[in-house]
């Protein structure tokens, strides 16, 4: 039987009113608010599913033109509901309720709407159209390493970003308007403090470590041994199972670049990529996306489809991913519980490799060019480079055309390495071409949040024992209660304050890095 | 990086008007017609992608509740545009153009809309809601074989179907209204004639063959030999390649039940299912879905997203599927070209099996209980059983509660076999529980259309040579020009008339079956 796309096939066709406006005039305002939220969720579901399909389910490249056309229509429809005056009226009304869920929902949406409507519609559209196209050209430029062919895009995008900052408004720094989109409450002032401390402590530490580094490729050569995809795949599921991701309410697929994309609280999708000659790649990406995924699965059920069913912020989301990837996934405790099993699953690849050798290999420090392949210590330095460049552009202290030179200079200063090719340098990340200005700091903040959370978790939970015994129950309970359940209902600073009893303090992160790596490299 | 579902990410947000009605007041009527069609296509894309995702991409069962909710909203939105007065006005206007594409588009949509609006909205909704739920309960009933637990659903569905026939209207027989939905221009009168001829010729032929059948399971035992999935998968792609499906504009996935679902002319999705101990299953389902898929890929490009980018009818669609599956896929010519390659690909499974033995095995006749596993000769008898039962119910000559008894009686009469369990009998197909009343005849008609088309194709194309040399070029050209390119722009009777110069005549089909099987079983 062929599935006929013509045949209406629905459980709800209750409205046939002529203008595609809201149904059920009779319903009360609370019902009506939830009707709007349900409609907005339906469009999100459609767009998320199309994105997922595109990356994971075999959507042929040739179909991209019709798909984008359809996607554009759906976004426009979504946007209309978002901007509907009745929705605004409902949000205004409910935003006055101080202590209700609906009050929290309404306030969150009003922030979002306020930002969008401050930007002139035409300029917003032009920007969105632009970034949907520049990404493909960036990809080509990255491949060829030709900065000039991408320069005009970066120019337009950063020019527009600065203009939008003026529309949206900010207190002290134009960059703040963009940081706020991903990390509510965060500012350049606070980030300068954060990155300043990092720079002061980590750059000298790395320099000291570099003096101790000996080039010994054969020592870590086993990381390139062949492990067949199917074996890696089975072990990836096992990793998710151990770390508490509920596979019955989610799915692990495959795509070029790993990501997490939740369709709903009961349908959390993640991807990884299996390299037969680099088995640790899938291990850490699965743990990373698993951290994102567990967060999405643990929202309070009442938040589903309200818009509060999201992470508190990008950095809080990253904190969960980096916690599972690094704090748990690179710890000797965790592998003391799981290494035997992996060795057996991957046999013969690791037959002659001891637990200690494996743990050492996954914790080695090595300054390299590519952010997403960086080790735990050098990672925040990669972020710092990007943060300083974005900030300088907003300040007018750096021109877009001078980006490559500035990039190379900062890389040399912080990491001591310089790209031979812009594809490994200033062109390596999609973020700028995709208009994701101000996102980068979230990665480093996420690491720092994770450290602070773990410090306080450790006062109530025996983390080491949980990892050793592969029993994540208490860890998950702590995270669910303190972080996950609230979703976007708590601002990031509230999450940190309520979970740890303190304001955010990067000292935990810096201490963690210092004590771990000073010890590992015999510097104290 | 986590994909943020919040972030508007579109290339088209040009409209922010308050009521979610149509944009661009200034555009002319033709533009406006195409704007509506683009919107309707976007909703179809969304719903098709959600369906595909659900069956193929790992969507977890636990997520079904939120997915259905979202799907329901999208269907409702789609329905509103379908029923928008302005769309109607545009359709009425363009339907007056006798010779334009827009005239054909408008007339097609008006037929569809006329049918939907004749049914009172409440009853339509109640029916749609009902069938979206009864399918799951049917599945359970099929498993347990308990007709009584499904009886009330069939009762409601057939009662409603009869009522809808009165609303929609028909000339002679209430069943006609439902047949027309899938096969425009087809009626009970014509089908009685068609199935009457089939019954008169095929039932006695089968009886004669049965006397010649000897039970020799070891003779076909090789069909159950193990062929690993990966080998089958590679060969499935090869089959599509040979038969002319353009894999760069499509994709072959996997699902429980094979199907074809086109997202657009440049993105035609199909599925199959690989059984390690039944390798022919995937071969024939791939050829079958490939036939559907090639049809969808070959529509004139100007039909894309107009609503005419569909098969002329269900039966014409099935004709293409059955042509590739049976006429080509079970022919000795085709396998004389491809068997060596398959033998090698599947080695050692077929090492000791000759081409002739393979061709004989895939063309054996054996009356069995299950339609979808039936051979080419008994297949139409399975359809006839269903046709007669549906017709009798519409006539009031059969009560729903008497269905099982009537089923078993007809199976005995036509096929000489009787199910021991209703799950292999009256409950085997999803169609009734899914409200697909009147669809079954399309399968048998599709076979008959295929025979007639092939007869005339054979006058212009050396089909045997094309199959032997695995060069489908001329076959595809003939099909594209005569059948595929027109999409839904031609009614099925026009397709047959224009391709063959004659009205539909089932004699070709019956002759094909008779000459093939009389010869095969030494009956002449």
């Amino acid at each position: 039987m062929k599935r006929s796309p013509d045949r209406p096939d629905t459980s709800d066709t209750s409205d046939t009113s002529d203008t595609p406006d809201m149904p059920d005039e009779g319903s009360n305002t609370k019902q009506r608010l939830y009707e709007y939220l349900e409609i907005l969720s339906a469009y999100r579901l459609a767009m998320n599913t199309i994105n997922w399909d595109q990356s994971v389910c075999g959507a042929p490249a040739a179909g991209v033109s019709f798909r984008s056309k359809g996607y554009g229509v759906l976004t426009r429809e979504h946007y209309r509901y978002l901007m509907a005056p009745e929705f605004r009226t409902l949000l205004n009304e409910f935003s006055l309720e101080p202590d209700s869920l609906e009050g929290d929902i309404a306030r969150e949406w009003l922030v979002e709407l306020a930002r969008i409507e401050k930007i002139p519609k035409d300029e917003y559209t032009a920007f969105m159209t632009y970034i949907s196209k520049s990404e493909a050209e960036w990809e080509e430029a990255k491949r060829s390493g030709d900065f000039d062919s991408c320069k005009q895009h970066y120019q337009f995008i950063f020019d527009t970003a600065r203009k939008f900052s003026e529309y949206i408004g900010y207190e002290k720094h134009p960059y703040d308007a963009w940081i706020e989109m991903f990390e509510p409450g965060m500012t350049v002032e606070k980030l300068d403090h954060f990155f300043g401390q990092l720079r002061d402590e980590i750059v000298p530490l790395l320099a000291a470590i570099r003096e101790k580094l000996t080039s010994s490729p054969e020592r870590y050569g086993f990381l390139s041994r062949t492990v067949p995809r199917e074996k890696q795949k089975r072990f990836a599921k096992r990793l998710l199972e151990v770390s508490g991701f509920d596979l019955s309410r989610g799915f692990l697929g495959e795509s070029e670049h790993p990501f997490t994309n939740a369709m709903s609280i009961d349908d959390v999708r993640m991807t990884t990529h299996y390299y037969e000659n680099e088995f640790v790649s899938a291990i850490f990406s699965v743990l990373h996306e698993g951290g994102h995924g567990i967060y999405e699965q643990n929202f309070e059920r009442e938040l589903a489809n309200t818009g509060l069913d999201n992470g508190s912020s990008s950095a809080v989301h990253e904190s969960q991913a980096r916690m599972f990837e690094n704090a748990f996934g690179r710890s000797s405790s965790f592998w003391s519980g799981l290494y035997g099993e992996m060795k057996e699953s991957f046999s013969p690849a690791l037959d002659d490799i001891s637990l200690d050798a494996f743990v050492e290999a996954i914790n080695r420090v090595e300054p390299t060019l590519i952010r997403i392949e960086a080790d735990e210590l050098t990672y925040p330095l990669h972020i710092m480079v990007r943060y300083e460049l974005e900030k300088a552009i907003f300040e007018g202290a750096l021109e877009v055309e001078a980006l490559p030179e500035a990039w190379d200079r900062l890389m040399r200063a912080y990491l001591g390495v310089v790209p031979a090719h812009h594809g490994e340098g200033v062109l390596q990340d999609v973020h700028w071409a995709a208009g994701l200005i101000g996102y980068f700091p979230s990665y480093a903040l996420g690491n720092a949040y994770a450290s602070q959370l773990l410090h306080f978790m450790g006062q109530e939970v025996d983390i080491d024992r949980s990892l050793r015994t592969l029993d994540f129950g208490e860890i998950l309970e702590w995270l669910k209660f303190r972080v996950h359940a609230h979703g976007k209902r708590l601002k990031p600073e509230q999450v940190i304050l309520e979970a740890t009893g303190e304001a955010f303090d990067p000292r935990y992160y810096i201490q963690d890095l210092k004590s771990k790596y000073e010890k590992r490299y015999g510097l104290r």
Side-chain angles (χ1 to χ4, degrees), chain A residues 266-277:
Chain A
D266 288 329
D267 185 355
V268 177
R269 313 282 179 93
M270 306 178 305
T271 67
T272 186
H273 193 125
Y274 303 101
Y275 298 98
E276 296 220 317
N277 292 310

Side-chain angles (χ1 to χ4, degrees), chain A residues 22-47:
Chain A
M22 289 292 297
D24 298 339
E25 303 274 326
S27 51
N28 68 34
T29 56
K30 193 160 158 180
Q31 262 173 21
R32 255 174 120 55
L33 175 68
Y34 279 104
E35 280 161 15
Y36 267 101
L37 297 173
E38 192 169 296
I39 290 175
L40 291 168
S41 297
Y43 283 104
R44 260 178 32 184
L45 172 73
M47 295 186 281

